[in-house]
Each structure stands twice: as structure tokens, then as C-alpha cells.
Amino acid sequence: MGRKGKMLEKEINSSYLDEKMTLKIYQPESFSPLYKYHICIMQDGNDYYQLGRVATFSDRLHDDAEIENTIFIGIHYKDRYDRLKKYHPSGEQYDAYTKFLMKEVIPLLDDTLPTYHMGGTRALMGDSLAGTLALMMAVKYPNTFGKVIIQSPLVDDVVLKAIEDATNLEALDIYHTIGTAETSVETTKGPGVDFLTPNRQLNKLLNQKGMTYYYKEIPDGEHTWKYWQKDMEDALKTIFGD
């Protein structure tokens, strides 16, 4: 089945990362410069398109008027080590990557797409380590990114401390899922990482921050795209629902 929307690619020669980065931009079928659009920026972009089937969900949800007009933007990584360097709060390119998002990606999208230029209409979506980045960015820049979808984020002491110390998060809108079987996950950093316990700690902290917050534990959910894809429609409807 062909896609109804249109996939565009834009390249940024990032001065912060010192490399060429590709944005894959998916516009809905009814796209027109006369309308305004929400934007959803996804790290692990190719995975979200291929394994998460975001374009297919976008087609269906726009057709059924179940989400607001939304453009999806996918940004991908070179390999798992590159991903760790850029997405992990302690990664050596993390600061450069956040500057790339703030100072190169957002201005490009606002210049070339009919966006609202408002934090409440910009979302960050990510799974696992990409989810960590999405959450950390929104907590640091809540006026730029008002919406967040995090699927099984990697949560460590750095993340928990950042959330604990964060203020002024009332305007954020967060959708957060974790699978109950995510107790021993293989990661780039090592085997047997417990994702469930720290995600439950994160849930407690986020609940105290006064934001709009949706939390869901997926019964027997594992740290795989099978479960993230199954939840994609719910996630998109919750955050971009009409």
C-alpha cells in the first residue's frame, strides 16, 4: 500500500556536529501552506518510519481526523555508538546535538514549513535512549518543546536528578510508556539493564510536577519495536488528538 503523504529530505551541514545531517520530513496528504502544522521530531527517525510505521499511522489518523495537522520529522544516527554519543546525557556529542536541534533544526523547520512557532505545537518523540534525549530536551527547553512521547526511555541517576531539579514544567504534555517485562535489557552500555524500576521512579517524579501527564505500563511489554509500534496510535492520538 502506497503512502498518501509526501516524504521530503532536507540536509543540514551542522556546524555544531561538524557533519551532514538528514531530516526526513513527512507531510500529510492534505498538506497546504495555507494551514498551520504541529511538528513531531523523532530521533531514531528511520526506525520510527520503518519499524514504528509512523507514516502509515499519520495517513490513517489524518484521514479520520483523529489528530491535528501534524508533520513528522525523522533524524537518524550512523550506528549504535554514534547514537550513544549524541543521545546520552553523558555522551561526548550530547551538548553539540542539543544545539543542533535548537539552533539548526528548529529554525529550518520554522523557516520552511507553515508551523505555529510555539512550544505547545512542537513535540519530541523517542524510544529507549532517543526517549531519554526527548525528555531531557523538553525539561530543559519547555518553551521550545511542549509535547513529549517517550517509549521505554533509558532512565539513570542523571535523568532522575534533572527531573527532580526541574521547575516550570506545568505547560508540558508528556506521554510515557514502559513494558512490565523490561527488567533485563541488552544495551550498548551493557547487558541486563533494568528499565522498569527507574521508569517507575521517573513516573513518581513526573507526577509531582503538575504537567499534563499520561503514564502507561504495557503488560508483558518488552524493549522492542513490536510493543512500541502497537502503542503508536494511542501515543499519537493522546498527544496530537483533535
Side-chain angles (χ1 to χ4, degrees), residues 204-221:
K204 281 201 183 109
L205 288 176
L206 288 174
N207 263 322
Q208 295 162 10
K209 296 291 175 178
M211 63 188 72
T212 307
Y213 176 52
Y214 308 87
Y215 174 72
K216 179 156 75 175
E217 292 191 0
I218 296 171
D220 304 320

Side-chain angles (χ1 to χ4, degrees), residues 33-239:
L34 303 174
Y35 303 142
K36 290 255 197 270
Y37 290 81
H38 291 251
I39 57 173
C40 181
I41 301 172
M42 317 174 286
Q43 316 320 312
D44 286 0
N46 294 356
D47 297 337
Y48 267 100
Y49 282 129
Q50 288 155 18
L51 306 169
R53 298 183 55 225
V54 160
T56 306
F57 285 118
S58 171
D59 287 349
R60 187 157 82 219
L61 295 170
H62 279 101
D63 273 359
D64 299 342
E66 291 200 74
I67 58 172
E68 304 264 6
N69 283 336
T70 304
I71 295 170
F72 291 88
I73 297 96
I75 309 170
H76 208 56
Y77 52 89
K78 288 198 284 256
D79 56 38
R80 61 197 191 125
Y81 301 104
D82 181 56
R83 184 172 178 262
L84 195 59
K85 268 196 294 206
K86 289 183 171 127
Y87 297 177
H88 196 285
S90 325
E92 60 229 54
Q93 279 193 299
Y94 178 79
D95 285 339
Y97 193 82
T98 58
K99 288 193 175 90
F100 154 72
L101 283 176
M102 289 291 291
K103 301 184 177 186
E104 295 176 325
V105 174
I106 294 295
L108 174 85
L109 297 176
D110 281 349
D111 284 350
T112 57
L113 297 170
T115 61
Y116 287 95
H117 296 234
M118 283 158 43
T121 61
R122 289 194 200 101
L124 289 168
M125 175 157 73
D127 64 287
S128 198
L129 195 51
T132 311
L133 177 88
L135 178 65
M136 295 289 279
M137 287 288 289
V139 164
K140 192 168 180 189
Y141 306 108
N143 298 329
T144 304
F145 305 104
K147 296 175 184 292
V148 189
I149 295 172
I150 45 176
Q151 299 181 290
S152 309
L154 174 78
V155 178
D156 58 15
D157 292 344
V158 176
V159 175
L160 292 171
K161 172 118 179 64
I163 304 304
E164 209 166 330
D165 296 347
T167 50
N168 305 331
L169 302 184
E170 293 80 14
L172 284 183
D173 200 344
I174 296 183
Y175 182 92
H176 174 198
T177 61
I178 183 73
T180 60
E182 297 190 54
T183 50
S184 180
V185 177
E186 298 289 317
T187 71
T188 308
K189 284 215 146 177
V193 178
D194 175 9
F195 273 66
L196 181 59
T197 307
N199 267 274
R200 284 177 171 164
Q201 290 171 284
L202 174 63
N203 165 41
K204 281 201 183 109
L205 288 176
L206 288 174
N207 263 322
Q208 295 162 10
K209 296 291 175 178
M211 63 188 72
T212 307
Y213 176 52
Y214 308 87
Y215 174 72
K216 179 156 75 175
E217 292 191 0
I218 296 171
D220 304 320
E222 293 170 14
H223 199 77
T224 65
W225 275 100
K226 176 183 162 186
Y227 293 93
W228 298 329
Q229 187 207 95
K230 269 190 193 158
D231 193 57
M232 191 62 59
E233 191 167 324
D234 258 9
L236 297 178
K237 285 202 295 209
T238 303
I239 289 295

